[in-house]
Amino acid sequence: MDMTGEERISAGRDAVWRGLNDPEILKRCIPGCQSLEMTSPTELAAVVKIKIGPVSASFTGNVVLSNLNPPEGYTISGEGKGGIAGFAKGGADVTLTEDGAETVLRYDVKAEIGGKLAQLGSRLIDSTAKKLAQQFFADFGAAVGGEPAQATG
């Protein structure tokens, strides 16, 4: 599954960059996030509980930040295991561009799933992924900019 888009956030690029690297902000914004802890300056351990169609699963996994280019962007990648529900792994290239007092966050996501989740069908998976991404960016925009983000992609 591939997904690209951009979000306009009502905050300067430095503030958005700090938010993208703050586990407390990310934990509040990631839908279903139960815990998120920095295990090193570029690695995090996460537990996320999600429901996709009839399948509910709790995923435990690791997230790695690479290609760090503060405050312009990075690559975030991870892999989670959801027991009998299956697995999810993937990554996203994230770039931040200043536009006046706002920041345009662009993302290019590549993800792969397996197990029971993969049997649900790509239409359900894609629509759920888009919904979760929209929820994340709305919450993230509010957390770092003080108001909801405007979806443009």
Side-chain angles (χ1 to χ4, degrees), residues 2-57:
D2 294 348
M3 182 170 52
T4 60
E6 67 178 41
E7 302 293 328
R8 182 170 292 276
I9 299 172
S10 300
R13 184 166 67 171
D14 288 338
V16 174
W17 176 258
R18 282 192 304 274
L20 285 174
N21 289 278
D22 183 329
E24 283 306 309
I25 288 177
L26 292 174
K27 180 181 174 189
R28 288 196 322 256
C29 299
I30 296 170
C33 189
Q34 308 286 300
S35 70
L36 185 68
E37 297 174 23
M38 294 291 286
T39 56
S40 84
T42 58
E43 296 175 310
L44 301 104
V47 177
V48 177
K49 188 172 186 172
I50 60 168
K51 182 171 171 51
I52 301 176
V55 179
S56 244

Side-chain angles (χ1 to χ4, degrees), residues 79-150:
E79 184 169 351
K81 293 181 177 34
I84 195 162
F87 71 88
K89 65 181 176 180
D93 290 317
V94 178
T95 57
L96 304 176
T97 307
E98 282 184 305
D99 187 8
E102 297 181 322
T103 301
V104 176
L105 184 155
R106 288 184 181 84
Y107 56 92
D108 183 4
V109 177
K110 294 191 185 328
E112 177 184 337
I113 58 167
K116 248 188 193 179
L117 289 174
Q119 298 169 2
L120 295 175
S122 62
R123 187 171 292 159
L124 177 61
I125 298 292
D126 289 350
S127 68
T128 302
K130 285 182 177 132
K131 183 177 150 204
L132 293 172
Q134 288 170 343
Q135 183 180 341
F136 169 80
F137 286 113
D139 292 347
F140 183 77
V144 298
E147 60 186 66
Q150 298 298 310

